[in-house]
Amino acid sequence: MKTTQVDFTTSILVDQTPKEVFNAILNVRVWWQGLHNEKIEGKTSELNGEFTYHAGEGAHYSKQKLVELIPNKKVVWLVTESKLNFLKEQDEWTGTEISFEISKAGVKTKIRFTHIGLVPKIECYEVCSAVWNQYIQQRLLASIKAKN
């Protein structure tokens, strides 16, 4: 799936190495939980591994497949199934991709998160982008810093 400027994107800079960042991203049970009674089951860190994500007492279900894994540089999950009960079109996430690009930025490491397909014209954009900001800017950032 091709990235465009309208896909939801956020970036953070950290002091940790690309390897530390990469390992933290793959440890989704640490950072993609803790806000909305989430439950993650399955393989989250191996290529072609699949996992399910449940949150909000049944409000959100999705199944992800790890489709791209470049050590210390990139992680991409394809959403193969989704059911977001608070939307009219409950499968809006199906076929979207969740991407993390890791790069050096001077002495820091940059993480560029993009949810490819989460665009302003879809119903979930406002709510989902706000929640992604919480997970990336707070939970993931805290989990990366905790490893230092």
Side-chain angles (χ1 to χ4, degrees), residues 103-140:
S103 60
K104 288 299 285 177
V107 297
K108 297 196 177 270
T109 299
K110 180 180 179 180
I111 305 154
R112 183 171 190 257
F113 169 86
T114 306
H115 189 152
I116 303 163
L118 181 61
V119 295
K121 70 178 182 178
I122 68 171
E123 184 183 0
C124 188
Y125 185 81
E126 190 174 318
V127 171
C128 293
S129 60
V131 175
W132 271 130
N133 267 324
Q134 287 182 295
Y135 284 118
I136 303 303
Q137 301 287 339
Q138 296 170 21
R139 304 286 303 154
L140 179 59

Side-chain angles (χ1 to χ4, degrees), residues 53-103:
Y53 176 84
H54 300 265
E57 305 295 328
H60 177 130
Y61 159 81
S62 59
K63 183 175 184 181
Q64 282 73 222
K65 180 177 183 178
L66 185 52
V67 294
E68 190 171 354
L69 190 64
I70 303 171
N72 311 326
K73 293 183 189 261
K74 193 169 187 181
V75 175
V76 180
W77 298 309
L78 171 65
V79 180
T80 58
E81 296 175 23
S82 65
K83 185 174 183 183
L84 286 72
N85 288 334
F86 56 94
L87 302 175
K88 279 187 219 166
E89 196 173 320
Q90 295 183 356
D91 65 347
E92 272 188 349
W93 276 32
T94 302
T96 65
E97 291 181 346
I98 299 166
S99 171
F100 296 85
E101 295 175 77
I102 304 162
S103 60

